[in-house]
Amino acid sequence: MLVRIPKGWEIRESRATPESVFRDRRRFLKLTAGGLAAAALGRALSAADAAPPAPSSGLPSAARNPRYTIDQPITPEKFSSRHNVFDEFSLERDQVWKLAERLRTRPWSIHIGGLVEKPITIDAEDLIRKMALEERLYRFRCVEAWAMAVPWTGFPFRKFIEFCQPMAKARYVRMVSFNDPAAPGWNAGRRVFPYYEGLSLAEASNELTLLATGIYGHPLPNQHGAPLRLIVPWKYGLKGIKSIVAFQFTRERPGTFWNELSPDHYSFESNVDPREEGQDTEELIDTGEKRKTVKFNGYGEYVAALYA
Ligand SMILES: Nc1nc2c(c(=O)[nH]1)N[C@H]1C(S)=C(S)[C@@H](COP(=O)(O)O)O[C@H]1N2
Ligand SMILES: [Mo]
């Protein structure tokens, strides 16, 4: 069993931030060891209450794009699918998968609006069928200093922008998660939802930025943000908003969930940065191996110019 010691960021938060804001995140770290042990047992999914198949199911499997690969083993799915952050369902990392399981993701309306030539509402399935899907191996780094590497299926955000046709004056894109307290499994007592995120259009157009529809060669299970979630591998995981229902193109920089809760600790950009207090090392969720954090999570050659 993995034994975890308190992380630097945990100390930082308790020192500088009102207790009410961070009590939950601190509590999880104490529970993490148990969560990972449960994952290691590889508990079987109960099929009984399963929701209908995800919108991307039934599509031909996407070919792996060899340009995006990693220099470490892929994290086994039994770890990544049992240690999740999706606070709408549970603040306990090892409980999310079970609670999220019954969420219905079909049909799933996605609104595209704001500064676009023609605002539309489109079903996730119709949108996904319009896009050419590919698989990419990416590193993933949470601000809680855990890390993994997984194969995502999806389409480049850049292609999605072409589809949306934003007006020339648009500079940012704001994204919003589903918000349905009546949804099965919803258990969001302590936080105010929906979760919302944003990127500059320069960031969203970067070749790395992906809208994911699947993981490990199959549709996204709900705990990973079905039917559509954002993946920006050079940023902390909190930027990767799950189960998106709206995209709004804006001229002004939009607010983001964690930045507005605690601006001193979570910047709009939230790029992985080992110089930040408590972020110099990270721990792999499967092996417990500790290693040095790399600036931009190792993706500097793709993105450093965005921030120069
Ligand atoms: N809607 C929503 N999206 C979210 C979150 C959340 O709580 N709600 N958590 C974020 C955080 S902090 C992380 S680390 C990643 C975790 O993604 P995973 O569970 O697929 O590994 O999702 C991000 N997206
Ligand atoms: Mo995170």
Side-chain angles (χ1 to χ4, degrees):
M1 187 166 131
L2 296 170
V3 176
R4 297 178 64 108
I5 53 162
K7 295 295 189 287
W9 70 265
E10 182 182 1
I11 295 158
R12 175 185 71 180
E13 289 184 343
S14 59
R15 199 184 61 223
T17 311
E19 174 70 10
S20 58
V21 178
F22 289 106
R23 190 173 38 197
D24 298 323
R25 285 208 137 189
R26 292 211 319 279
R27 195 161 62 85
F28 295 133
L29 282 188
K30 296 193 197 106
L31 294 168
T32 301
L36 293 178
L41 293 174
R43 279 189 302 218
L45 276 163
S46 70
D49 296 321
S56 58
S57 63
L59 294 174
S61 61
R64 185 169 291 177
N65 184 337
R67 179 169 163 81
Y68 306 100
T69 192
I70 47 174
D71 57 0
Q72 67 185 87
I74 293 176
T75 305
E77 185 171 11
K78 67 179 180 182
F79 292 94
S80 48
S81 68
R82 294 292 181 270
H83 180 79
N84 301 97
V85 191
F86 203 163
D87 292 349
E88 290 88 330
F89 291 101
S90 175
L91 300 180
E92 296 182 17
R93 305 311 185 222
D94 64 337
Q95 299 297 305
V96 168
W97 68 274
K98 210 170 15 181
L99 291 162
E101 202 176 17
R102 288 181 304 129
L103 177 71
R104 304 182 83 85
T105 59
R106 206 175 204 168
W108 188 274
S109 284
I110 294 177
H111 183 70
I112 299 169
L115 300 176
V116 291
E117 296 301 335
K118 190 170 166 286
I120 59 162
T121 298
I122 184 169
D123 190 82
E125 185 170 354
D126 297 332
L127 172 66
I128 292 167
R129 283 181 188 281
K130 285 182 198 298
M131 298 290 161
L133 300 183
E134 60 183 67
E135 184 178 71
R136 299 178 175 196
L137 301 181
Y138 277 164
R139 292 153 59 107
F140 186 99
R141 173 62 153 76
C142 172
V143 76
E144 292 167 2
W146 54 264
M148 60 180 185
V150 301
W152 299 108
T153 302
F155 51 89
F157 206 114
R158 191 188 266 182
K159 298 282 181 202
F160 176 68
I161 292 174
E162 286 170 19
F163 173 79
C164 297
Q165 293 185 265
M167 295 174 186
K169 62 186 172 192
R171 290 285 173 273
Y172 294 89
V173 57
R174 175 173 191 264
M175 289 154 273
V176 185
S177 287
F178 88 110
N179 182 32
D180 180 9
W186 181 278
N187 188 24
R190 293 244 186 87
R191 297 206 170 118
V192 178
F193 290 104
Y195 198 95
Y196 51 101
E197 259 301 337
L199 293 173
S200 70
L201 286 191
E203 292 174 319
S205 304
N206 185 273
E207 65 173 287
L208 293 177
T209 308
L210 204 64
L211 283 167
T213 60
I215 188 169
Y216 298 98
H218 55 67
L220 284 178
N222 292 341
Q223 68 268 36
H224 284 300
L228 191 70
R229 63 92 58 89
L230 178 68
I231 293 295
V232 271
W234 72 96
K235 295 177 178 287
Y236 295 117
L238 59 92
K239 293 293 291 185
I241 182 172
K242 295 177 170 179
S243 304
I244 301 170
V245 296
F247 294 87
Q248 294 161 333
F249 290 83
T250 65
R251 192 207 276 275
E252 304 301 327
R253 193 173 86 174
T256 61
F257 185 85
W258 281 104
N259 175 249
E260 292 194 327
L261 264 181
S262 182
D264 293 345
H265 298 122
Y266 306 100
S267 67
F268 172 83
E269 284 168 352
S270 284
N271 294 324
V272 175
D273 187 349
R275 292 169 311 181
E276 284 176 3
E277 194 182 348
Q279 297 296 348
D280 55 325
T281 58
E282 60 193 26
E283 181 178 324
L284 295 176
I285 60 167
D286 50 341
T287 61
E289 182 198 324
K290 288 199 169 56
R291 64 183 185 194
K292 291 261 171 231
T293 303
V294 184
K295 189 163 165 72
F296 296 122
N297 204 22
Y299 292 103
E301 62 174 306
Y302 296 92
V303 300
L306 288 171
Y307 310 102

